[in-house]
Amino acid sequence: MKKKIKLYDSTLRDGAQTKGVNFSLDDKIKIITVLDEIGIDYIEGGWPGANPTDDKFFKSLPKLKNSKAVAFGMMRKSGKIPNDDPGLNHVLKSGVSSVCLVGKSWDFHVKNALRVSLNENLDMISDSIAFASKRVDEVLFDAEHFFDGFKNNSDYSLKSIKRAFDSGASWIILCDTNGGTLPNELEGILSEVKKIIPEKCLGVHFHNDTDNSTSNSLESIRNGVSQIQGTFNGLGERCGNANLINVAANLILKMGYDCNLKKRLDKLTLTSRFIDETLNRESPRNLPFVGSAAFAHKGGLHISAVEKDPRCYEHIDPNQIGNERVLVVSNQSGKSNIINKLKKLKIDIKGKEKKVVNFLKKIKEQEFLGYAYDGAEASFELLVKRMFQKFNEFYSLESFRVTDEKRKNNKNEFVPFSEARVKIYVDKKEFFSAAEGSGPIHALDMALRNALIKFYPKIKKLNLIDYKVRILTPQDGTKALVRVRIESKNEKLKWSTIGVSYNVIDASYIALHDSITYHLLKTK
């Protein structure tokens, strides 16, 4: 029986160093919640004391069911004792019982970055780890640049991790911070490390600068390491970190190892896309395992072979990781996945083969336009109900107009002013409303609410909590196609809706209309 491997996710800190990625407090709470649901062992939440978002995050940390939240920090500064180092104490007082402290293990960095003596760096490590281990349940030592340090001065790099372990560190994490280590180098290095650190206390964290982070992670497991660190979708600075999706899928499905994620492996694709959608990023189609093209087949011979036996061109069953097979030129493409979704929504499809095919065609048309229903479950459900059931809309739009301008106030300062006017019909009765707002979308939302509240008082319970716009055709400049995603909630539910148009107000209205409709449907 192979041992259980621990997975440590650092998306919420390392991932924030990705160009174009900026986590809001709400983003971080959403992501840690979904990572907890699938059973990631450790989730690094951020660096308390480093920025206001991380400080607020640890104060509003949701209760986790399957994972341990980890606070990241660094050793005491030179010339300070741990008790008087504000940075270290900020981490230790963050409210979590596991902390990861980074320290230098490469003599070059000690001399040129920290500018302290080699012995003082060792003292900084031992002082900080000993101090922390008495105040929290678990301390992980993040041995920064360990592999470069080992190649340059193996004696010193080994001394640094031995100091940390002897001072009370529960885990020693060997970091390939520059991402330059190759798989063939690992066996020799790890064999020396295992002479002083037990395998059960060893972890690794590889960056992907040479495109070897997945290979290095798997090779480290094969050589006895018990914890793998990385990020979802490989987020991170430069070329990113080891992609935990690829590592986890390979170690479970290919190498036969166990980990907590194994029970929820079929949630990998959904989680990957949820994180990208939360960050307003386009998910790369060719991502291994979870990409939309990971199991896509095009060309007669391939499709013919796959339809007879998928093993001809698929290394695993895509359902194992929550993905789906796509036959690009076949009208059966994605049909089984759609049928499964319809069943979950309790749609009776017996004798409705033609409707299912037409619905699949409709989905493809929508996706071609730019719609993406992963992460917009409410819009998908409404599309289903509109096509398969006698669904009566709660209102119909006759027209709307939105104006946005800048005016001078009584202080002669320019201030924005937005107003929306809507005309709708409810049960053949006409309703007109106008409203001002802090922006055009807010004004439109308020105008719709004012028109509907007489007929649907429960509209007061609807709250819009997030709004994101993505440019789908950036080459078109200001006339680009845009996708708007709105997240909403009421007293019981939270959901997302989507709209696509060349006009951002129109796209917003489509998503807003679905949000209102879904709320009224669930509270009628």
Side-chain angles (χ1 to χ4, degrees):
M1 180 74 178
K2 291 186 176 179
K3 66 181 178 183
K4 203 166 189 178
I5 302 298
K6 301 288 186 181
L7 297 178
Y8 181 112
D9 178 85
S10 62
T11 301
L12 297 178
R13 186 189 62 83
D14 271 335
Q17 298 180 56
T18 311
K19 184 179 179 181
V21 168
N22 186 25
F23 292 103
S24 68
L25 175 62
D26 188 53
D27 292 340
K28 294 185 75 129
I29 290 173
K30 287 180 192 173
I31 291 171
I32 198 172
T33 301
V34 298
L35 293 178
D36 174 49
E37 286 173 357
I38 65 172
I40 298 297
D41 299 280
Y42 294 91
I43 306 171
E44 191 175 279
W47 191 329
N51 58 74
T53 300
D54 283 0
D55 290 343
K56 289 179 184 176
F57 171 74
F58 281 99
K59 288 177 182 176
S60 22
L61 192 67
K63 187 175 181 180
L64 304 182
K65 299 174 288 185
N66 304 303
S67 310
K68 292 181 181 179
V70 183
F72 184 87
M74 62 187 297
M75 302 297 140
R76 68 160 174 86
K77 286 185 168 59
S78 174
K80 286 189 175 289
I81 60 172
N83 199 45
D84 292 335
D85 189 294
L88 177 59
N89 283 279
H90 212 118
V91 174
L92 298 178
K93 293 176 181 178
S94 61
V96 297
S97 59
S98 298
V99 300
C100 182
L101 299 179
V102 62
K104 303 293 186 185
S105 59
W106 185 7
D107 59 347
F108 172 80
H109 256 244
V110 174
K111 296 172 186 174
N112 294 280
L114 285 183
R115 297 184 180 276
V116 300
S117 70
L118 297 183
N119 283 334
E120 184 175 1
N121 179 59
L122 294 177
D123 289 341
M124 289 162 64
I125 292 172
S126 56
D127 291 349
S128 303
I129 299 292
F131 181 77
S133 63
K134 292 174 184 174
R135 287 159 176 79
V136 294
D137 296 341
E138 196 172 23
V139 180
L140 297 87
F141 175 61
D142 194 71
E144 191 179 33
H145 292 283
F146 175 81
F147 291 95
D148 289 313
F150 186 94
K151 295 172 201 176
N152 188 60
N153 183 343
S154 61
D155 181 60
Y156 186 76
S157 63
L158 292 171
K159 275 183 182 176
S160 69
I161 62 173
K162 185 74 164 61
R163 267 295 182 101
F165 184 70
D166 289 345
S167 300
S170 304
W171 288 94
I172 302 297
I173 311 301
L174 312 176
C175 298
D176 186 32
T177 314
N178 285 349
T181 301
L182 299 177
N184 63 290
E185 300 176 277
L186 294 174
E187 184 176 2
I189 296 174
L190 292 174
S191 65
E192 292 301 312
V193 172
K194 289 187 292 184
K195 291 177 183 178
I196 58 172
I197 308 292
E199 286 185 3
K200 66 179 182 178
C201 301
L202 271 180
V204 288
H205 187 143
F206 291 98
H207 283 246
N208 200 36
D209 297 72
T210 59
D211 198 25
N212 280 292
S213 59
T214 298
S215 300
N216 285 338
S217 298
L218 298 177
E219 185 66 9
S220 297
I221 291 171
R222 204 176 65 81
N223 279 279
V225 162
S226 300
Q227 183 190 128
I228 300 293
Q229 295 194 1
T231 61
F232 259 63
N233 300 331
L235 292 173
E237 64 181 333
R238 304 190 312 275
C239 303
N241 292 259
N243 189 336
L244 274 189
I245 293 170
N246 301 341
V247 174
N250 276 305
L251 76 88
I252 294 168
L253 297 174
K254 305 288 188 178
M255 299 171 70
Y257 284 90
D258 189 17
C259 68
N260 286 335
L261 178 63
K262 184 177 181 179
K263 301 170 188 173
R264 303 165 190 86
L265 198 63
D266 62 344
K267 302 296 184 186
L268 268 185
T269 300
L270 183 63
T271 304
S272 168
R273 295 177 188 177
F274 175 84
I275 290 173
D276 275 339
E277 285 297 336
T278 299
L279 298 176
N280 213 17
R281 301 174 76 241
E282 194 70 44
S283 293
R285 295 181 68 254
N286 63 340
L287 277 178
F289 294 101
V290 297
S292 60
F295 299 94
H297 305 280
K298 185 176 182 180
L301 288 175
H302 280 215
I303 288 176
S304 177
V306 167
E307 287 180 326
K308 289 175 183 175
D309 191 335
R311 291 173 297 179
C312 292
Y313 289 103
E314 291 178 353
H315 63 105
I316 62 165
D317 178 352
N319 292 314
Q320 290 179 285
I321 38 81
N323 208 340
E324 63 177 312
R325 179 176 303 116
V326 178
L327 306 180
V328 176
V329 298
S330 169
N331 62 5
Q332 300 300 305
S333 173
K335 183 178 177 183
S336 61
N337 185 56
I338 292 296
I339 289 174
N340 287 335
K341 288 181 177 179
L342 293 175
K343 287 179 179 176
K344 286 180 182 177
L345 292 172
K346 298 180 180 179
I347 301 296
D348 182 11
I349 59 172
K350 283 185 180 180
K352 298 178 181 176
E353 177 70 17
K354 188 175 180 180
K355 264 196 173 181
V356 172
V357 171
N358 288 338
F359 182 70
L360 180 60
K361 183 180 178 182
K362 177 69 174 177
I363 287 288
K364 288 184 176 181
E365 289 172 353
Q366 292 289 89
E367 289 179 345
F368 178 77
L369 291 173
Y371 282 82
Y373 290 104
D374 286 320
E377 69 292 333
S379 285
F380 179 82
E381 183 176 336
L382 290 174
L383 192 65
V384 169
K385 291 183 181 298
R386 285 164 178 153
M387 196 147 185
F388 285 91
Q389 297 177 340
K390 291 181 179 178
F391 182 76
N392 294 320
E393 297 286 350
F394 293 94
Y395 76 94
S396 62
L397 176 73
E398 177 65 20
S399 66
F400 74 74
R401 180 167 64 180
V402 177
T403 59
D404 203 46
E405 59 180 300
K406 271 197 169 186
R407 298 175 177 176
K408 283 186 177 180
N409 62 13
N410 54 13
K411 296 180 181 178
N412 206 36
E413 299 169 330
F414 278 107
V415 292
F417 174 81
S418 299
E419 183 183 47
R421 297 170 179 267
V422 300
K423 184 190 289 186
I424 63 170
Y425 284 93
V426 181
D427 284 353
K428 298 182 180 180
K429 295 178 182 177
E430 183 181 285
F431 291 86
F432 173 83
S433 173
E436 296 177 7
S438 57
I441 311 307
H442 180 231
L444 182 58
D445 178 35
M446 295 304 297
L448 282 168
R449 287 169 184 263
N450 291 345
L452 289 168
I453 198 165
K454 301 166 189 174
F455 215 83
Y456 304 112
K458 288 186 179 180
I459 196 76
K460 290 188 290 186
K461 302 294 184 181
L462 171 64
N463 294 301
L464 305 184
I465 58 175
D466 201 4
Y467 173 91
K468 285 189 169 77
V469 179
R470 176 179 295 168
I471 305 299
L472 299 179
T473 56
Q475 68 275 11
D476 293 336
T478 52
K479 61 176 183 178
L481 186 69
V482 298
R483 182 162 72 209
V484 169
R485 187 179 299 274
I486 290 176
E487 188 169 352
S488 312
K489 71 174 183 177
N490 56 28
E491 292 173 309
K492 296 180 179 179
L493 300 170
K494 185 186 289 187
W495 63 91
S496 294
T497 53
I498 192 171
V500 175
S501 176
Y502 285 98
N503 183 309
V504 69
I505 305 295
D506 182 43
S508 300
Y509 171 77
I510 295 167
L512 191 58
H513 171 63
D514 271 6
S515 177
I516 291 170
T517 302
Y518 191 80
H519 168 69
L520 295 176
L521 179 69
K522 297 299 180 181
T523 58
K524 67 180 182 180

